[in-house]
Amino acid sequence: MASNIGWELYRSFLGVLNEGSLSGAARLLGITQPTVGRHIAALEKALGVALFTRSQTGLMPTEVALTLRAHAHTMESTAAAIERAASSRGTAVQGIVRISASDVIGVEVLPPIIARLRQQHPALKVELVLTNRVVDLLQLEADIAVRMMRPRQEQLVARRIGQIELGLHARTEYLSQHGIPRDLNELAGHSIIGYDQPNAFIRSIGKSINDIDRKLFSLSSDSDLAQLALIRAGAGIGVCQVPLAKRDVALQRVLTSSFSLGMETWVTMHEDLRNSPRCRTTFDALVEGLQHYTDQDALGD
């Protein structure tokens, strides 16, 4: 087995894994199809294993290829982190910073915070990754993450923002047509918007939502943005962040005393980045902006 295998071979390997074909990987990576083919052949020769088999639907990864996927992703994250670190020079706040956040936080809350940050530091470039998956900061998948649960790894710098309250909301037109539920039992007579498959956050608050049976869900989606859009469209009653709902006069909270959840919010980054001007400045801006967002709820604005 060759011991000196270039990163470009693994890059093409990941491209084929993701796209399922040489042509798809070539388009993704911006190189030619024959180049991708040569990379895969060279990698298979260097490793002494077959990585893909041909099928009617494209290239199918072998068991070995699937085993290598996680290691190749780690290499990809490390290469990207090296590029971000190299983009920052000296003590100036410049270069690339990669932020991970949930869909709703990333779309509804962070944009004005990032806009102000960029106004103050125009040489800073922000990569915003929206995912409800907990990205691995130790594997450098992102520089900074906004998380809805307390980080457990000791190598992370973490700042607790506080709790974002979640409540049941509906559009006023929906409530005018269908009535306002007086207790949780009356939810059975309404269109309830909920999740499809429970994620880590849903599992962590499972005991708190036992009163709402999944069988009540008339509309379900694993996308928090889709759930929010359905609430705003008047499709039914669903869970929404209270400070977010307060921004929309068309939304009304229901069963305030019967249903309330607290969503822990943290800003985290790897401790090795605490002295990076681009990361430290971004970290502080996120903390300040998110604290203002949660304070709006606490003050009842």
Side-chain angles (χ1 to χ4, degrees):
M1 181 181 297
S3 60
N4 187 19
I5 303 174
W7 155 239
E8 69 278 2
L9 303 189
Y10 288 105
R11 185 168 175 261
S12 291
F13 165 69
L14 282 174
V16 176
L17 270 179
N18 292 332
E19 298 298 318
S21 67
L22 298 178
S23 58
R27 288 191 296 269
L28 177 69
L29 301 174
I31 56 180
T32 66
Q33 180 174 333
T35 299
V36 176
R38 287 195 297 271
H39 286 174
I40 298 302
L43 184 58
E44 289 180 327
K45 181 179 179 180
L47 296 175
V49 296
L51 297 174
F52 297 95
T53 58
R54 293 191 177 277
S55 70
Q56 292 181 344
T57 59
L59 292 179
M60 299 293 293
T62 63
E63 184 176 349
V64 174
L66 295 176
T67 301
L68 295 177
R69 182 198 294 268
H71 302 293
H73 274 306
T74 298
M75 294 176 66
E76 182 181 41
S77 298
T78 301
I82 291 172
E83 293 179 8
R84 294 196 299 272
S87 70
S88 178
R89 301 176 298 277
T91 59
V93 180
Q94 60 183 8
I96 303 169
V97 61
R98 189 173 179 86
I99 303 170
S100 170
S102 67
D103 291 341
V104 170
I105 292 292
V107 171
E108 299 286 344
V109 182
L110 293 190
I113 300 174
I114 293 173
R116 289 193 297 270
L117 175 66
R118 286 269 298 124
Q119 288 174 354
Q120 297 170 359
H121 305 284
L124 189 67
K125 298 180 180 181
V126 177
E127 296 177 351
L128 183 56
V129 182
L130 301 187
T131 176
N132 289 338
R133 179 178 64 88
V134 178
V135 301
D136 194 338
L137 295 178
L138 300 184
Q139 295 296 332
L140 307 176
E141 292 183 352
D143 297 316
I144 302 171
V146 180
R147 291 185 173 174
M148 307 315 21
M149 57 184 65
R150 181 171 186 166
R152 300 299 180 187
Q153 299 95 331
E154 294 181 356
Q155 302 96 319
L156 297 181
V157 176
R159 180 76 64 84
R160 183 180 182 273
I161 302 301
Q163 287 195 339
I164 298 176
E165 187 181 8
L166 304 177
L168 292 172
H169 294 80
R171 192 173 179 87
T172 52
E173 289 87 346
Y174 171 88
L175 296 174
S176 297
Q177 182 178 357
H178 299 279
I180 300 175
R182 292 170 296 181
D183 55 44
L184 290 172
N185 292 327
E186 290 193 359
L187 289 178
H190 286 268
S191 295
I192 305 301
I193 301 164
Y195 58 88
D196 184 16
Q197 299 297 324
N199 56 28
F201 174 70
I202 294 296
R203 287 190 290 270
S204 70
I205 61 172
K207 294 181 179 179
S208 302
I209 60 174
N210 281 343
D211 290 331
I212 299 183
D213 193 323
R214 288 184 62 186
K215 295 179 182 178
L216 290 177
F217 296 166
S218 303
L219 301 160
S220 59
S221 174
D222 285 335
S223 168
D224 295 337
L225 284 177
Q227 293 179 29
L228 179 59
L230 288 167
I231 295 171
R232 286 172 168 167
I237 300 174
V239 176
C240 178
Q241 295 179 23
V242 173
L244 183 59
K246 287 180 178 179
R247 297 177 177 179
D248 191 340
V249 295
L251 297 185
Q252 180 178 336
R253 188 174 182 183
V254 300
L255 301 178
T256 303
S257 59
S258 303
F259 185 94
S260 175
L261 297 175
M263 184 169 63
E264 285 278 342
T265 308
W266 296 75
V267 179
T268 63
M269 71 177 176
H270 197 290
E271 63 181 0
D272 290 349
L273 299 176
R274 68 168 75 232
N275 294 321
S276 165
R278 63 186 170 90
C279 293
R280 182 78 256 178
T281 300
T282 303
F283 184 94
D284 291 342
L286 292 175
V287 168
E288 180 181 0
L290 287 167
Q291 284 179 336
H292 177 71
Y293 175 69
T294 57
D295 288 346
Q296 286 181 328
D297 182 25
L299 295 174
D301 292 343

